[in-house]
Amino acid sequence: DAGVTQSPTHLIKTRGQQVTLRCSPKSGHDTVSWYQQALGQGPQFIFQYYEEEERQRGNFPDRFSGHQFPNYSSELNVNALLLGDSALYLCASSIAGTGLHGELFFGEGSRLTVL
Amino acid sequence: AQSVAQPEDQVNVAEGNPLTVKCTYSVSGNPYLFWYVQYPNRGLQFLLKYITGDNLVKGSYGFEAEFNKSQTSFHLKKPSALVSDSALYFCAVRDQYTGRRALTFGSGTRLQVQP
């Protein structure tokens, strides 16, 4: 049973560029959430996708956008990269039917470095 | 707004001794509480959760956590620490009142188990 998979694992970009990160949820999961984890900090919620729509959003600017595909996989896009966007980006999947009780299953993350 | 506090940046314990990692929370309604562990350069792994019922929750790898409503705490415990338990531990909460599915994480506590 494959868990949550993310790609790429590492990438380096320069300021002003754009990046796309990808995530495949755990088998049987239909909801994908994205988190940003800066060095030495806890994960911060970016947004959540269910049924191909953004359902909730954290306190992140519009430069951060996403998409969910019919097979439940998801992409995170960040435009006009800033140095402060350097972080580990974590994808987490869950089952919508578990509601507030359900735990999240995390991928290994994509480490983004902005120079 | 929901929030989590982990007052200790690091906890040091000798192998074989009991360990406690502290967590306090703030929510408007009933809390749904979670503990995750993160090993270096890895994603987060789910340990245990409290939804309702017995205040002592048992989870993976011999960990347990005690929910205390009056003290708004959810401390992680283990009777006998192993060197392999050394990792970064995160407490997280959802608020039943707000119904937000996003997990709010604490800043993390680094557990160091000395042989």
Side-chain angles (χ1 to χ4, degrees), chain B residues 10-66:
Chain B
Q10 181 157 325
V11 170
N12 297 307
V13 65
E15 188 174 31
N17 283 0
L19 69 88
T20 299
V21 182
K22 296 180 181 178
C23 170
T24 59
Y25 64 89
S26 175
V27 296
S28 301
N30 290 322
Y32 298 130
L33 294 154
F34 302 78
W35 274 102
Y36 284 83
V37 60
Q38 186 176 34
Y39 296 98
N41 299 313
R42 304 291 294 275
L44 277 68
Q45 296 179 30
F46 169 74
L47 280 178
L48 51 79
K49 66 181 176 182
Y50 172 82
I51 303 301
T52 187
D54 194 350
N55 289 342
L56 186 64
V57 179
K58 294 188 183 297
S60 306
Y61 312 119
F63 283 94
E64 57 190 28
E66 186 170 11

Side-chain angles (χ1 to χ4, degrees), chain A residues 100, chain B residues 1-2 26-32 93-100 102:
Chain A
L100 299 179
Chain B
Q2 57 197 50
S26 175
V27 296
S28 301
N30 290 322
Y32 298 130
V93 69
R94 283 195 189 109
D95 185 347
Q96 182 195 38
Y97 179 76
T98 64
R100 283 181 59 84

Side-chain angles (χ1 to χ4, degrees), chain A residues 73-105:
Chain A
S73 67
S74 177
E75 287 182 351
L76 164 65
N77 300 291
V78 186
N79 294 323
L81 285 168
L82 304 173
L83 295 180
D85 295 331
S86 295
L88 181 67
Y89 289 84
L90 295 166
C91 172
S93 70
S94 55
I95 302 173
T98 58
L100 299 179
H101 298 182
E103 60 269 30
L104 301 180
F105 290 79

Side-chain angles (χ1 to χ4, degrees), chain A residues 11-48:
Chain A
L11 68 167
I12 299 173
K13 294 286 187 178
T14 57
R15 281 178 296 176
Q17 285 189 313
Q18 178 265 344
V19 68
T20 297
L21 308 178
R22 296 176 177 83
C23 172
S24 292
K26 181 178 171 63
S27 178
H29 287 195
D30 55 10
T31 301
V32 173
S33 302
W34 286 91
Y35 286 78
Q36 181 196 64
Q37 186 180 16
L39 199 61
Q41 297 183 22
Q44 299 291 316
F45 175 71
I46 303 175
F47 42 54
Q48 181 186 79

Side-chain angles (χ1 to χ4, degrees), chain A residues 60-80:
Chain A
F60 280 80
D62 292 344
R63 298 187 297 108
F64 290 77
S65 63
H67 189 77
Q68 185 180 35
F69 299 93
N71 66 352
Y72 308 119
S73 67
S74 177
E75 287 182 351
L76 164 65
N77 300 291
V78 186
N79 294 323

